[in-house]
Amino acid sequence: MSSKTLPYSKKDVHYDNAKFRHRSFFKVITQNLHTSNVKNHCMSCSTGKFLLLLMIFGVAYLMLTHTSPTTDGLVKGSKNGTHEHITSGGIRFGNIFRKPPRLPPQLPAHIKGGRGNTGLDHRKLKSDSKWIARQQNVKKAFIHAWSGYKKYAMGYDELMPVSKRGVDGLGGLGATIVDGLDTAMIMGADKVVSEAGLWIETHLSNKINQTSQVNLFETTIRVLGGLLSAYHLSSVENGMGLTHKGPKPVVYLETAKNLADRLLVGFTSSPTAIPFGDVVLRDPSAHPAPDGRSSTSEVSSLQLEFNYLSSVSGDPKYTVESMRVLEHIKTLPRVEGLVPIFISPRTGEFSGENIRLGSRGDSYYEYLLKVWLQKNRESNFTYLHDMYEEAMKGVRHLLVRKSIPNGLVFVGELPFGADSSFSPKMDHLVCFLPGTLALGATKGLTKEKAMRNNMLNFEDLENLKLAEDLAKTCFEMYSVTSTGLAPEIAYFHTEEFSEGGLDGGNKSSQYMNDIIIKPADRHNLLRPETVESLFVLYRITEDPKYREWGWQIFEAFEKYTRVDTGGYSSLDDVTSVPPHKRDKMETFFLGETLKYLYLLFGDSSVIPLDKFVFNTEAHPIPIEGTAKRG
């Protein structure tokens, strides 16, 4: 028969410490006889001799009927972590005399690890449930944003939520629909996926065929990127449980090819490797911007999308044309890896000397790294990583400074070149950089895993430290204001630069005197760059503070930008409460800001950073060789 379940295993008695070492019953008796005074007294009388003889026979009998712990009973682990003691049958006299072994002191449940760690398990469960709930709040915000767009602006590029109407500012291709589609897929918002997919299937090809002028860059990153990401997420099983609602994946792919074939004229019409910035889709034809120049960031941030289209379509023309741009820029002079923000399609040369990582410069540096990662770090594309590393050294040397009095690390500008004066101006757009630096350091792995595998060199660690410092600065650009939302542009108080009376309005902020916000720069466009970097840094460092910062930012968006009738609005002035609404919901609020917040609060196995790169509009593109097509 089975004995009562014991709270320990036989293995618990095998300790090197003699205090807990198991001793047999026979050894206990004989040791006591040899070491006690009873021995001498008992041997002095016949009664004692009789008793001694009886005891010896008793011990012999017990030895014959006693089974050792290794053969008498087996300890069987149960599913719930307890143990069941099983005997071999019959009543054993040895079991009557044998006491349970003395166990070592036990650690309290909230300290010890393993199954006994109930305190930590409860805290982890509580933390997990908190972030699951917060993630669902982001999903609700996305549904609210979509509901306003669908109700008042379906088919238009963007929603004006206050005046409850739509507006076309990106060529009239329904940019919000395509930009937000993969966000809905990732969130499992099936109804939105069905509605957006049906509109794309029914209307988008005709819109593309009839549309006049569009910007090559904006159309590529938002519409082409959105279609390709939707194609991948709807056609590939990645074990992520993503929704497959909507039309067949081939609809997204064929629409993307139709659009890309027309956008290619921007490349083929140019006399150099630098494409024209404006494309007329219905002709198709292309021409340069009015001043004849293209933004460096725009011409160098087309490659992820065109490379992936070549991969899935089997037609190399998209890669050939887009990669010519980066191959050409490789041959141009640079200043410690840094480049001016304008370039001429007519001459193929940089124009002007303005160097910055804000508007017109930002995603050039981002794509140097990401295209190399997309190509799975192939040797043919090593030049891209070399250019990226050179540029990051240049950033650290020429553009990084600290504010006074509290030492916030920021990235400034060189408006007239490397030999001119430094400007302590930092666009919110620059807040993409912490995420890029962290991604470049670990290649998408966690910091812990990268260090365990000896993958981080000194420069990687420097970049990772800079990433964390800059992420804090980007967060403080939010917390220093009255609304808790960042301005479009901030200046930093330095020894050389100071302007009084231009703080963010939050008098309790430690950094009130470090950050200067000029009246013309106080607007907020619902931009994603800071939450993008918080997402990447959380994935890589696993530090929960990035989640907490993201939640504070999300709550501020909810409090001040939400429009009750549907949608969210950009703001005129983040330093005043209540802020005046600008009446514009940018497509990237659905395509980027809410997507990054949702992923920040969710499981890291969804869109893992070592298998995907996000284009500059947050559309995930698979790294070659890491995800199979279905």
Side-chain angles (χ1 to χ4, degrees), residues 450-524:
M451 292 188 73
R452 191 166 63 242
N453 295 338
N454 296 317
M455 294 175 60
L456 302 183
N457 58 32
F458 178 75
E459 188 166 332
D460 292 329
L461 292 172
E462 265 198 322
N463 284 341
L464 197 52
K465 177 63 167 62
L466 178 58
E468 298 208 63
D469 289 342
L470 287 174
K472 176 173 175 55
T473 299
C474 290
F475 173 68
E476 296 301 339
M477 287 167 62
Y478 282 76
S479 61
V480 79
T481 71
S482 301
T483 58
L485 292 170
E488 179 72 0
I489 298 169
Y491 289 77
F492 289 84
H493 182 193
T494 64
E495 296 288 352
E496 300 79 20
F497 181 84
S498 178
E499 285 192 39
L502 297 176
D503 60 76
N506 180 7
K507 304 302 181 183
S508 65
S509 170
Q510 176 186 346
Y511 301 98
M512 184 183 74
N513 296 320
D514 291 69
I515 297 176
I516 298 162
I517 306 175
K518 297 184 178 184
D521 305 327
R522 293 177 177 174
H523 51 288
N524 180 286

Side-chain angles (χ1 to χ4, degrees), residues 355 395 397-402 410-426 492 494 496-497:
I355 293 174
V395 168
H397 181 220
L398 298 174
L399 301 183
V400 172
R401 299 283 193 281
K402 284 188 177 181
F410 69 94
V411 173
E413 299 181 0
L414 296 170
F416 305 102
D419 297 328
S420 67
S421 60
F422 175 86
S423 171
K425 168 179 173 282
M426 180 168 155
F492 289 84
T494 64
E496 300 79 20
F497 181 84

Side-chain angles (χ1 to χ4, degrees), residues 184-225:
M185 289 179 169
I186 291 168
M187 290 182 174
D190 292 359
K191 185 178 179 184
V192 177
V193 174
S194 294
E195 292 167 348
L198 179 61
W199 186 91
I200 289 170
E201 184 174 28
T202 307
H203 301 290
L204 185 53
S205 286
N206 289 334
K207 290 258 188 182
I208 291 169
N209 296 341
Q210 297 169 11
T211 293
S212 55
Q213 183 171 301
V214 298
N215 177 271
L216 172 63
F217 166 73
E218 297 290 358
T219 307
T220 297
I221 65 169
R222 301 190 198 211
V223 184
L224 182 61

Side-chain angles (χ1 to χ4, degrees), residues 493-568:
H493 182 193
T494 64
E495 296 288 352
E496 300 79 20
F497 181 84
S498 178
E499 285 192 39
L502 297 176
D503 60 76
N506 180 7
K507 304 302 181 183
S508 65
S509 170
Q510 176 186 346
Y511 301 98
M512 184 183 74
N513 296 320
D514 291 69
I515 297 176
I516 298 162
I517 306 175
K518 297 184 178 184
D521 305 327
R522 293 177 177 174
H523 51 288
N524 180 286
L525 303 181
L526 312 174
R527 284 201 186 276
E529 288 76 23
T530 293
V531 295
E532 170 188 1
S533 284
L534 297 182
F535 155 68
V536 176
L537 276 165
Y538 174 72
R539 285 280 182 94
I540 287 173
T541 69
E542 300 176 303
D543 189 332
K545 74 182 179 186
Y546 298 115
R547 278 182 155 181
E548 296 292 351
W549 291 354
W551 178 248
Q552 288 184 45
I553 292 170
F554 175 73
E555 285 192 305
F557 277 130
E558 280 290 289
K559 185 173 183 179
Y560 292 111
T561 71
R562 180 185 172 99
V563 177
D564 288 341
T565 53
Y568 291 76

Side-chain angles (χ1 to χ4, degrees), residues 63-75:
M63 289 178 65
L64 290 172
T65 58
H66 177 73
T67 305
S68 70
T70 57
T71 58
D72 172 40
L74 300 176
V75 177

Side-chain angles (χ1 to χ4, degrees), residues 348-462:
E349 303 292 329
F350 288 120
S351 177
E353 296 180 305
N354 191 338
I355 293 174
R356 68 185 183 215
L357 270 71
S359 61
R360 301 185 182 278
D362 49 2
S363 52
Y364 161 73
Y365 304 95
E366 179 186 358
Y367 271 43
L368 289 179
L369 173 69
K370 288 184 174 179
V371 174
W372 176 71
L373 289 174
Q374 178 193 33
K375 290 296 184 180
N376 215 349
R377 295 175 265 180
E378 291 179 21
S379 58
N380 289 346
F381 302 95
T382 301
Y383 76 92
L384 294 171
H385 190 253
D386 292 343
M387 290 168 69
Y388 166 77
E389 285 196 317
E390 181 191 22
M392 293 306 103
K393 287 180 183 176
V395 168
R396 294 198 306 267
H397 181 220
L398 298 174
L399 301 183
V400 172
R401 299 283 193 281
K402 284 188 177 181
S403 68
I404 58 174
N406 293 300
L408 282 176
V409 175
F410 69 94
V411 173
E413 299 181 0
L414 296 170
F416 305 102
D419 297 328
S420 67
S421 60
F422 175 86
S423 171
K425 168 179 173 282
M426 180 168 155
D427 293 358
H428 184 276
L429 287 166
V430 179
C431 288
F432 85 93
L433 186 58
T436 297
L437 284 165
L439 184 65
T442 72
K443 317 304 182 285
L445 300 176
T446 64
K447 178 183 178 182
E448 180 186 11
K449 184 173 182 180
M451 292 188 73
R452 191 166 63 242
N453 295 338
N454 296 317
M455 294 175 60
L456 302 183
N457 58 32
F458 178 75
E459 188 166 332
D460 292 329
L461 292 172
E462 265 198 322

